[in-house]
Amino acid sequence: ARRVMVKLKEVGDAVQEAEHQQQRRTNQQEEKGQQKLDIANAVAGKCSIVEMPLMEVTHPSSDDNDDVPTSTTTSPTTPTPDEEKGDLCFFGGAGFDSLMLHDFQQIKAWSKSSKSAPAFVKDALSSVAGYCVALVARTLPQALRHGTHRIHVEVTTEDEGTLWVDHRRGDFSELAVPKGGGGGSGDGSGSETTESSSLTSSPRKHLIYSGTTGIIAAATTPYYGGGMRLFPYARLFPEKLQLRLGRISPLTGFFNIPSIFEGSYREKGERTFGCLDFVGKDFEVEVRSARYEEYVRKRVERKKRRRMGIFGGGGGGNNEDGSNGKKQKVSKGFPFQHSGESMGVKERFRLRVVQEPVKFVSFLHPRIVVDD
């Protein structure tokens, strides 16, 4: 009986110890949970979660059914396999900015490869100061002399809710696509466009601008890099991006750098429309620049003549300009960049908002609700 009582006591002690351990674990978990809750409440009082949509960039083929009869076109806007694999970014564009980026990359590469340049010079040319050097020393003279930044664009959209924001005021907007579907792309033949849209289930493209510009860029964030607030309307609509066409001269932009950087610049021309702002979900852009292509062609020919002069290549069959009678082949289109990286020369690009936004932590204090 004594041994049975001892065994029962040992079992009871073990059960009691197990219960105590379970209680301690429960208390520890509650304490950790309370600590996490306290931390979350403390963080919530000092920061918040901000959602920002991404922008998808694709490059549709240049031969997108322009010569295909309407009756045989089943889906003119069906993305190709290459088009489906788009790049995700927050901003991108073409024009004066992409030329300046190209010049900046060349200056940056030179500074890093130079053995005589001091370290502080290399660091400066790799920062925002390098953009200023590229602007003053290379891009601005090139644009003023040759007009290489002037490009012809044709902008279309399938989003009938696209808004045009009057940049002269900044507090007024209206639908960029007239009610009833006006402004379709193409040669302006309304009957053909209507017939095409009735035979296909794909959305209709609407022309919102066709003409020259010095820069065409889009973003889902107000900032274009280096603190420049180039897209002040980008975050006003959570599921849309802002497309901006800057038509002012490089000198006007240069003398207004401070206000352009802070996003307060207003182009007040009544007829010139030096700036066009659109807010929408989907834009497709076709780019052409005869001036840029001619400038690149002449630059290639000059380099070729210099090489021939250095190596004594004055062989027969050459013209006076050393071009061998053959016209240098230059890629059509214009340099395109996104996220501050050059993506090469492109004839077309499409910008679309990605439906799933990215979440960021904002350390700005949340909005006040009750002021004690």
Side-chain angles (χ1 to χ4, degrees):
R2 178 184 288 273
R3 283 181 296 189
V4 171
M5 293 298 294
V6 171
K7 290 289 185 182
L8 290 175
K9 185 176 182 304
E10 291 176 353
V11 172
D13 292 341
V15 171
Q16 188 176 14
E17 180 63 24
E19 291 177 351
H20 288 165
Q21 291 180 357
Q22 180 65 30
Q23 185 64 34
R24 284 195 295 269
R25 284 195 295 267
T26 302
N27 293 338
Q28 290 175 355
Q29 291 176 354
E30 291 178 354
E31 291 177 359
K32 291 182 179 179
Q34 185 62 38
Q35 290 176 354
K36 292 181 179 179
L37 182 60
D38 293 340
I39 293 174
N41 291 333
V43 171
K46 296 183 178 180
C47 64
S48 58
I49 302 298
V50 176
E51 293 186 349
M52 185 182 300
L54 280 166
M55 182 173 67
E56 182 187 27
V57 178
T58 55
H59 302 283
S61 174
S62 58
D63 50 298
D64 58 346
N65 303 325
D66 289 340
D67 299 326
V68 180
T70 303
S71 59
T72 60
T73 304
T74 58
S75 182
T77 58
T78 300
T80 62
D82 292 336
E83 184 183 350
E84 292 176 353
K85 300 177 182 179
D87 296 331
L88 299 180
C89 60
F90 290 108
F91 65 87
F96 188 82
D97 62 321
S98 59
L99 287 180
M100 185 172 66
L101 176 62
H102 178 69
D103 293 335
F104 165 70
Q105 289 178 336
Q106 289 185 329
I107 291 176
K108 182 179 177 181
W110 169 84
S111 65
K112 288 186 175 182
S113 61
S114 176
K115 297 181 180 180
S116 59
F120 74 91
V121 173
K122 294 182 179 181
D123 294 339
L125 292 179
S126 299
S127 64
V128 178
Y131 282 97
C132 298
V133 173
L135 172 64
V136 176
R138 303 192 63 171
T139 313
L140 191 58
Q142 175 193 145
L144 293 176
R145 182 178 179 182
H146 302 284
T148 53
H149 68 292
R150 303 298 294 177
I151 55 178
H152 185 279
V153 298
E154 184 173 298
V155 186
T156 58
T157 181
E158 296 178 355
D159 178 17
E160 296 187 355
T162 297
L163 297 174
W164 167 67
V165 181
D166 192 341
H167 181 79
R168 297 165 296 184
R169 297 173 44 134
D171 60 354
F172 171 79
S173 64
E174 65 182 15
L175 288 174
V177 179
K179 292 183 179 180
S185 63
D187 59 0
S189 176
S191 59
E192 293 183 5
T193 308
T194 304
E195 181 181 358
S196 175
S197 61
S198 64
L199 294 176
T200 62
S201 59
S202 60
R204 177 184 173 186
K205 292 183 180 180
H206 304 277
L207 177 67
I208 59 176
Y209 178 75
S210 177
T212 58
T213 184
I215 178 176
I216 179 168
T220 56
T221 174
Y223 296 96
Y224 203 47
M228 182 167 64
R229 196 166 181 262
L230 192 62
F231 307 96
Y233 315 120
R235 296 290 302 279
L236 296 181
F237 302 90
E239 298 181 354
K240 294 188 177 184
L241 60 90
Q242 179 185 348
L243 179 75
R244 168 164 285 188
L245 291 93
R247 292 158 41 84
I248 60 176
S249 69
L251 279 178
T252 302
F254 178 73
F255 290 123
N256 290 276
I257 285 179
S259 59
I260 292 176
F261 254 78
E262 67 178 12
S264 62
Y265 175 73
R266 291 287 177 267
E267 202 286 319
K268 299 185 181 295
E270 292 295 330
R271 298 180 181 273
T272 57
F273 287 96
C275 189
L276 292 171
D277 290 316
F278 299 95
V279 179
K281 297 181 179 180
D282 186 342
F283 298 96
E284 186 169 336
V285 182
E286 181 179 352
V287 185
R288 299 190 303 272
S289 178
R291 291 186 178 183
Y292 174 75
E293 294 174 8
E294 183 65 20
Y295 172 78
V296 174
R297 184 180 296 109
K298 290 182 178 179
R299 187 176 61 183
V300 171
E301 291 176 353
R302 287 197 300 268
K303 289 183 178 180
K304 183 177 180 181
R305 288 198 298 268
R306 285 198 296 268
R307 287 197 301 267
M308 294 176 65
I310 293 174
F311 296 103
N318 293 339
N319 292 338
E320 293 181 358
D321 62 354
S323 61
N324 289 323
K326 296 181 180 179
K327 200 172 184 179
Q328 296 294 332
K329 188 176 181 180
V330 177
S331 298
K332 294 183 179 180
F334 200 81
F336 175 82
Q337 65 88 17
H338 75 70
S339 309
E341 296 292 335
S342 177
M343 307 305 296
V345 177
K346 304 295 182 181
E347 288 187 82
R348 292 172 183 258
F349 55 90
R350 189 173 185 178
L351 311 166
R352 289 176 283 192
V353 176
V354 177
Q355 296 300 321
E356 297 182 2
V358 179
K359 295 183 178 181
F360 293 90
V361 177
S362 173
F363 290 95
L364 295 175
H365 285 279
R367 173 178 59 90
I368 187 172
V369 178
V370 178
D371 185 10
D372 296 330

